[in-house]
Amino acid sequence: MKTLIENVNIINPSDEIETSQNILIEDNVIKEISSGNINADANVIDGEDNYLLPGFIDCHTHIFAKGFHKEENMANPLGLHFYNAVPHALQTINAGVTTIRDCGSADLSFKLAQQRKLFTAPKIQLSISPLVMTGGHFDLFLPSGWDMEIIYPGFPKGRCDGVEEVLKKTREMKRAGADFIKVMASGGVLTTNSSPEFAQFNKKELKTIVKEASANDMKVSAHCHSLKGMNNCIDAGFSSIEHGTFIDKKTACKMVKNNVSLVPTLLVHQFLYENGFPAWDNYAGEKVAKLKEIVKVHKENISIAYEEGVNILMGTDSGVIPHGHNLEELTHLVEIGMSESQAIAAGTVKAAEFLNKDNLGLVKENYIADLILVNSNPLDDVSILSDNDNILNVFQDGVLVK
């Protein structure tokens, strides 16, 4: 199958805009880019002088999740957990995101369904279920005695303690189809029995996880707000820190030295603080109180990390908040000091590099044809990407999916 997209302006981060270009896509690859005519027996799409960018990569999502409301999980049949992923996936595609890195909730079924084109969905890298210590963030065993964690064949529980248990759980996640390992290395905002300032898991446990993951060529990612927790993870050899709320200059420099990336997910805290929680959530007041402090310091600290040269990637924590708002994160990245071009790179070429995808994240010959067409220049104002109506078309593997 061949597709010819005519008369577009190509935006690649750090490059000058290439105006009035024609793009020939054959199967799933960009075969030719030219300012002249391309003669090919192809389906022709008129780009109408709009702007063509690489499809975005969201490095922190939860595609099955719909707010992590545990009470709903108890009431609903298990099948809804899977069916929710279908509209979530479409919302994500319509927002201009063609690849996601799921940091907990999705299983191998979603990846296989996407590959088999059973429904329109972003490509995915899986972590299956996060590793969490007893009593830690995302340990969903409640004081009532109810264990609210969803579990079914092929989706192992993540709760573990001690070197032997974390070793086994890492192997279980690999067996279940994980592409990387996610670890809850600090308390969280939304878990009522933990605090984001405190580290979780000890150094021996963290190093064991990394050693086993590395033996399988898998990266390890840490949910971590805590300063001590971040330093523990850096010392253990983690590849990325998610959130990084209380990061300081010294820790930022340490991340640069050790080639550890940061996925700040700035959008999620602001969104929750502004929009709140369901009326029936008995812990809503406690969560909002935590968020007030988080929102206050998060951007300021991430600005420090950016100034020190930490590799920052775009991630949204979608699933905690509604799906489809993904590219609003770019506006927050600009607010911490990034240029529009740098923010776009954080969600395209830089993200692709982190995922070890050397043929993704740019509009370039011989690259995968994951592309979006937008109606104005985001290098002038990246916030235009926040409005999904401005994203006119989305191509995934050369196929028009929006």
Side-chain angles (χ1 to χ4, degrees):
M1 184 180 72
K2 295 181 181 180
T3 300
L4 180 60
I5 308 173
E6 295 183 328
N7 189 24
V8 292
N9 305 303
I10 296 176
I11 294 178
N12 281 315
S14 304
D15 292 345
E16 295 292 326
I17 295 177
E18 297 179 76
T19 59
S20 301
Q21 297 294 301
N22 303 312
I23 317 290
L24 178 63
I25 300 168
E26 186 171 342
D27 296 324
N28 67 333
V29 174
I30 299 170
K31 296 298 290 186
E32 185 178 352
I33 299 175
S34 176
S35 58
N37 292 330
I38 297 177
N39 296 315
D41 182 15
N43 176 42
V44 178
I45 296 174
D46 186 356
E48 298 181 349
D49 200 34
N50 288 305
Y51 294 82
L52 192 72
L53 289 80
F56 279 84
I57 300 169
D58 189 331
C59 288
H60 191 124
T61 64
H62 304 277
I63 199 67
F64 278 23
K66 194 176 182 180
F68 287 104
H69 301 310
K70 299 181 290 293
E71 294 83 355
E72 290 185 353
N73 291 339
M74 291 291 287
N76 292 331
L78 179 62
L80 281 180
H81 181 61
F82 303 95
Y83 289 127
N84 280 335
V86 177
H88 296 168
L90 184 59
Q91 290 163 346
T92 304
I93 286 286
N94 287 341
V97 174
T98 50
T99 299
I100 59 173
R101 177 173 168 262
D102 192 276
C103 287
S105 75
D107 65 10
L108 187 59
S109 67
F110 184 94
K111 186 173 186 177
L112 295 176
Q114 188 281 323
Q115 290 173 347
R116 297 173 188 181
K117 310 302 182 187
L118 299 185
F119 53 89
T120 301
K123 302 169 190 176
I124 191 168
Q125 281 205 351
L126 296 166
S127 64
I128 308 297
S129 186
L131 274 57
V132 52
M133 71 178 200
T134 297
H137 179 53
F138 230 71
D139 179 357
L140 302 181
F141 190 94
L142 303 185
S144 64
W146 287 103
D147 189 345
M148 309 289 266
E149 186 172 359
I150 291 176
I151 184 170
Y152 51 87
F155 193 79
K157 283 194 175 192
R159 191 185 300 127
C160 51
D161 301 284
V163 167
E164 293 302 320
E165 287 191 10
V166 300
L167 176 63
K168 184 175 182 179
K169 284 297 174 184
T170 302
R171 290 173 175 171
E172 286 183 3
M173 297 307 162
K174 170 64 176 175
R175 180 178 65 187
D179 300 298
F180 69 102
I181 301 298
K182 168 80 177 298
V183 181
M184 299 303 199
S186 83
V189 176
L190 303 184
T191 302
T192 54
N193 64 343
S194 69
S195 177
E197 295 95 332
F198 300 132
Q200 297 182 354
F201 286 111
N202 61 44
K203 286 188 176 182
K204 285 186 177 180
E205 293 168 323
L206 297 173
K207 288 180 179 179
T208 299
I209 295 165
V210 171
K211 184 177 180 181
E212 180 61 24
S214 298
N216 291 281
D217 199 25
M218 299 167 71
K219 292 182 176 181
V220 184
S221 162
H223 156 100
C224 199
H225 300 282
S226 158
L227 190 61
K228 181 178 180 181
M230 281 184 263
N231 280 281
N232 287 346
C233 291
I234 296 165
D235 291 341
F238 278 52
S239 297
S240 71
I241 302 293
E242 317 291 310
H243 315 307
T245 302
F246 298 113
I247 194 169
D248 62 8
K249 182 175 180 179
K250 183 178 179 181
T251 303
C253 292
K254 190 174 180 180
M255 288 180 69
V256 174
K257 182 178 179 181
N258 288 274
N259 193 31
V260 181
S261 296
L262 175 62
V263 187
T265 65
L266 294 159
L267 170 64
V268 62
H269 297 137
Q270 189 71 43
F271 190 98
L272 289 172
Y273 185 63
E274 291 175 358
N275 293 278
F277 298 89
W280 49 258
D281 189 336
N282 293 329
Y283 298 100
E286 180 181 337
K287 292 174 182 177
V288 170
K290 286 184 184 180
L291 281 168
K292 184 177 181 179
E293 179 63 23
I294 293 291
V295 169
K296 181 180 178 182
V297 303
H298 197 186
K299 279 189 177 177
E300 180 179 334
N301 291 343
I302 300 303
S303 294
I304 292 171
Y306 165 70
E307 290 169 1
E308 295 305 316
V310 174
N311 185 42
I312 293 177
L313 307 173
M314 188 195 85
T316 63
D317 223 352
S318 293
V320 176
I321 60 175
H323 297 269
H325 297 268
N326 307 68
L327 298 193
E328 289 182 27
E329 180 72 12
L330 301 175
T331 302
H332 294 282
L333 293 179
V334 169
E335 289 175 355
I336 61 105
M338 284 185 164
S339 66
E340 269 77 2
S341 178
Q342 289 172 324
I344 291 169
T348 55
V349 63
K350 291 292 186 180
E353 289 170 358
F354 181 79
L355 299 185
N356 297 322
K357 303 292 186 182
D358 59 5
N359 61 348
L360 198 64
L362 292 171
V363 184
K364 187 175 178 180
E365 290 180 357
N366 299 316
Y367 271 55
I368 299 296
D370 288 358
L371 308 165
I372 67 171
L373 189 68
V374 302
N375 61 8
S376 52
N377 184 0
L379 295 178
D380 293 333
D381 179 8
V382 80
S383 70
I384 67 105
L385 296 173
S386 300
D387 185 347
N388 294 351
D389 289 339
N390 293 331
I391 299 169
L392 305 174
N393 296 122
V394 177
F395 300 84
Q396 186 186 56
D397 289 324
V399 177
L400 184 66
V401 291
K402 178 185 177 180

